[in-house]
Amino acid sequence: MRLDSEQIARLVAEYEAGTPSTQLEKDFNLSNASVMKLLREAGAKLRRRGLHGDDVDEAIRLYEGGLTLKQVGAKLYVDGETVRLALRQAGIQLRRPHKLTDDQIIEITQLYEQGSSMNTLRKHFGVGDRTVARVLRESGCHIRPRGRPSGAGPTA
């Protein structure tokens, strides 16, 4: 999406007023690279990326309050990995990622064997791809190739 000079001026003004670049990406429907390029070309003073000072304190408070790294990141306009790095640097002991119960492991295996995709299971149980794959391997399931089964697809 190309922005006109008025939109660029608004983007720069919002950034200089403190709006995070990640929010500007969403607001202006641009990639991070495009936002940063426009800001540099406009001569805006770029802020350091990541979490610093009060943001780290807020991340610690939110994380210790029970939010996930991803949830903390969403509140602070950074990704979960940025939060993880800031918390580790601050000496915070990170929780083990979401642990599945025995019943959930059985359910994942059954749903997969009934045709559910790994992606669907990942979203449903709130875990990563590797967790689903590990559960299925440890349960002795045959892992299907990625994508649609041959012959599957929309019908005419």
Side-chain angles (χ1 to χ4, degrees):
M1 174 180 179
R2 292 187 91 53
L3 301 182
D4 61 32
S5 59
E6 189 175 300
Q7 291 171 311
I8 293 170
R10 195 174 97 231
L11 180 140
V12 172
E14 289 182 24
Y15 181 80
E16 290 178 338
T19 303
S21 62
T22 51
Q23 185 62 45
L24 295 173
E25 292 169 28
K26 294 174 189 169
D27 293 349
F28 289 88
N29 195 29
L30 296 170
S31 69
N32 178 265
S34 295
V35 168
M36 299 314 286
K37 180 181 178 202
L38 289 169
L39 292 170
R40 277 192 297 277
E41 288 173 353
K45 184 176 186 307
L46 300 180
R47 298 186 293 266
R48 291 188 334 194
R49 295 195 60 126
L51 296 176
H52 307 282
D54 291 342
D55 286 339
V56 174
D57 295 338
E58 179 67 1
I60 292 169
R61 187 187 70 73
L62 293 168
Y63 184 74
E64 289 180 342
L67 294 185
T68 66
L69 295 172
K70 185 175 181 178
Q71 290 167 330
V72 172
K75 289 192 175 289
L76 299 176
Y77 302 104
V78 296
D79 67 18
E81 179 63 11
T82 301
V83 174
R84 185 185 72 77
L85 293 172
L87 294 178
R88 284 190 58 196
Q89 189 172 13
I92 301 300
Q93 179 71 37
L94 299 178
R95 298 185 299 268
R96 178 176 162 87
H98 178 69
K99 185 167 173 62
L100 295 167
T101 66
D102 291 341
D103 287 342
Q104 288 174 316
I105 290 170
I106 291 167
E107 187 177 0
I108 286 173
T109 304
Q110 290 172 342
L111 290 171
Y112 186 76
E113 288 174 342
Q114 292 169 7
S116 292
S117 70
M118 290 175 71
N119 192 42
T120 298
L121 295 170
R122 171 187 68 80
K123 290 176 183 175
H124 179 74
F125 290 94
V127 296
D129 294 335
R130 288 183 282 182
T131 300
V132 172
R134 179 183 47 78
V135 164
L136 295 172
R137 275 194 314 277
E138 289 174 359
S139 298
C141 281
H142 169 73
I143 306 292
R144 298 185 301 263
R146 293 185 80 118
R148 294 179 186 260
S150 60
T155 56

